[in-house]
């Protein structure tokens, strides 16, 4: 089920505010993820500063797929396939979400309120479920 118009507005507003600080936010994201889950470090082969599983890309995919997840089904299916091929497991999506949300909380401060968090969670989980389903179907 797609997110509501209000949830989409909350997500877009918070995304804009992190977008302006995307370089430090990306760096912080990797620090947080690997502090929480050092075992996931080995999945990332590229230079983290330059490319890789970009924080920005992930947030952008969430934002792009908000109201019309069916319109981006093919993109999420491809991402699901590429991630399964990289060795990403279904259970890895939860620590990824928690690291993303910790960084969003740091950057948004009081703006990271319960309603905004719930909206992000719905959008992230909807997107992750599609990627996971595609990866399983490989
Ligand atoms: C939550 C949804 C996720 C989205 C939207 C997402 C998005 C992306 C994107 C756009 C890329 C760039 C390459 C490409 O286009 O295929 C990428 C790469 C990658 N992602 Fe994700 N990702 C997600 C979840 C995860 C999770 C849970 C993990 C594992 C913990 C992960 C690990 C990786 C790795 C290892 C790469 C390759 C980069 C490298 O080799 O350094 N991703 N991801």
């Amino acid at each position: 089920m797609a997110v509501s118009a209000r949830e989409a507005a909350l997500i877009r507003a918070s995304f804009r505010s992190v977008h302006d600080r995307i370089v430090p936010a990306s760096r912080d994201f990797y620090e947080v993820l690997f502090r929480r889950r050092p075992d996931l470090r080995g999945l990332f082969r590229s230079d983290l500063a330059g490319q890789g599983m970009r924080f920005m890309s992930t947030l952008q995919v969430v934002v792009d797929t908000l109201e019309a997840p069916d319109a981006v089904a093919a993109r999420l299916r491809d991402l699901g396939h590429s991630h399964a091929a990289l060795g990403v497991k279904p259970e890895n999506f939860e620590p990824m979400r928690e690291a993303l949300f910790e960084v969003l909380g740091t950057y948004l401060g009081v703006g990271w309120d319960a309603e905004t968090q719930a909206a992000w969670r719905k959008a992230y989980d909807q997107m992750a479920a599609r990627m996971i389903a595609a990866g399983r179907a490989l």
Side-chain angles (χ1 to χ4, degrees), residues 33-34 37-46 48 86-88:
L33 180 65
F34 300 143
R37 291 294 302 273
D39 57 306
L40 296 180
R41 178 71 184 83
L43 286 172
F44 293 82
R45 293 182 196 95
S46 7
L48 294 183
L86 283 163
V88 176

Coordinates of all heavy atoms in Angstrom, one line a residue, residues 33-34 37-46 48 86-88:
L33 N 26.4 2.5 10.5 CA 26.1 1.2 10.1 C 27.2 0.2 10.5 O 26.9 -0.9 11.1 CB 25.9 1.1 8.6 CG 25.6 -0.3 8.0 CD1 24.2 -0.8 8.4 CD2 25.7 -0.3 6.4
F34 N 28.4 0.5 10.3 CA 29.5 -0.4 10.7 C 29.8 -0.4 12.2 O 30.4 -1.4 12.7 CB 30.8 -0.1 9.8 CG 30.5 -0.2 8.3 CD1 31.1 0.7 7.4 CD2 29.6 -1.2 7.8 CE1 30.9 0.6 6.1 CE2 29.4 -1.3 6.5 CZ 30.0 -0.4 5.6
R37 N 27.0 -2.8 13.0 CA 27.1 -4.1 12.4 C 28.4 -4.2 11.7 O 28.4 -4.2 10.4 CB 25.9 -4.4 11.5 CG 24.6 -4.5 12.2 CD 24.6 -5.8 13.0 NE 24.8 -7.0 12.2 CZ 23.9 -7.6 11.5 NH1 22.6 -7.2 11.6 NH2 24.2 -8.7 10.8
P38 N 29.5 -4.4 12.4 CA 30.8 -4.5 11.7 C 30.9 -5.7 10.7 O 31.6 -5.6 9.8 CB 31.8 -4.7 12.9 CG 31.1 -4.8 14.1 CD 29.6 -4.4 13.9
D39 N 30.1 -6.7 11.0 CA 30.1 -7.8 10.1 C 29.6 -7.5 8.6 O 29.9 -8.2 7.7 CB 29.2 -9.0 10.6 CG 27.8 -8.5 10.9 OD1 27.6 -7.5 11.6 OD2 26.8 -9.2 10.4
L40 N 28.9 -6.4 8.5 CA 28.3 -6.0 7.2 C 29.4 -5.3 6.3 O 29.2 -5.1 5.1 CB 27.1 -5.2 7.3 CG 25.9 -5.8 7.9 CD1 24.7 -4.9 8.0 CD2 25.5 -7.1 7.1
R41 N 30.5 -4.9 7.0 CA 31.5 -4.1 6.3 C 32.0 -4.9 5.0 O 32.3 -4.2 4.0 CB 32.7 -3.8 7.3 CG 33.8 -3.1 6.7 CD 33.5 -1.6 6.4 NE 34.6 -0.9 5.8 CZ 34.8 -1.0 4.5 NH1 34.1 -1.7 3.7 NH2 35.8 -0.3 3.9
G42 N 32.2 -6.2 5.2 CA 32.8 -7.0 4.1 C 31.9 -7.0 2.8 O 32.5 -7.3 1.7
L43 N 30.6 -6.7 2.9 CA 29.8 -6.6 1.7 C 30.2 -5.5 0.8 O 30.0 -5.5 -0.4 CB 28.3 -6.4 2.1 CG 27.6 -7.6 2.7 CD1 26.2 -7.1 3.2 CD2 27.4 -8.7 1.7
F44 N 30.7 -4.4 1.4 CA 31.0 -3.2 0.6 C 32.4 -3.2 0.1 O 33.4 -3.1 0.8 CB 30.7 -2.0 1.5 CG 29.3 -1.8 1.9 CD1 28.8 -2.5 2.9 CD2 28.5 -1.0 1.1 CE1 27.4 -2.4 3.3 CE2 27.1 -0.8 1.5 CZ 26.6 -1.6 2.6
R45 N 32.5 -3.3 -1.2 CA 33.8 -3.5 -1.8 C 34.4 -2.2 -2.4 O 35.6 -2.1 -2.5 CB 33.7 -4.5 -3.0 CG 33.4 -5.9 -2.5 CD 33.4 -7.0 -3.5 NE 32.7 -8.1 -2.9 CZ 31.4 -8.4 -3.1 NH1 30.7 -7.6 -3.8 NH2 30.9 -9.4 -2.5
S46 N 33.5 -1.3 -2.6 CA 34.0 0.0 -3.3 C 34.5 1.0 -2.2 O 34.3 0.8 -1.0 CB 33.0 0.6 -4.1 OG 31.8 0.0 -4.0
L48 N 34.2 3.8 0.0 CA 33.0 4.3 0.5 C 32.8 5.8 0.3 O 31.7 6.3 0.2 CB 32.9 3.9 2.0 CG 32.8 2.4 2.3 CD1 32.7 2.2 3.8 CD2 31.7 1.8 1.6
L86 N 24.9 -9.4 -4.6 CA 26.0 -8.9 -3.8 C 26.2 -9.7 -2.5 O 27.1 -9.4 -1.7 CB 25.8 -7.4 -3.5 CG 26.0 -6.4 -4.6 CD1 25.3 -5.1 -4.3 CD2 27.5 -6.2 -4.8
G87 N 25.2 -10.5 -2.2 CA 25.2 -11.2 -0.9 C 24.4 -10.6 0.2 O 24.5 -11.0 1.3
V88 N 23.6 -9.6 -0.2 CA 22.8 -8.9 0.8 C 21.6 -9.9 1.2 O 21.0 -10.4 0.3 CB 22.3 -7.6 0.3 CG1 21.3 -6.9 1.3 CG2 23.4 -6.6 0.0

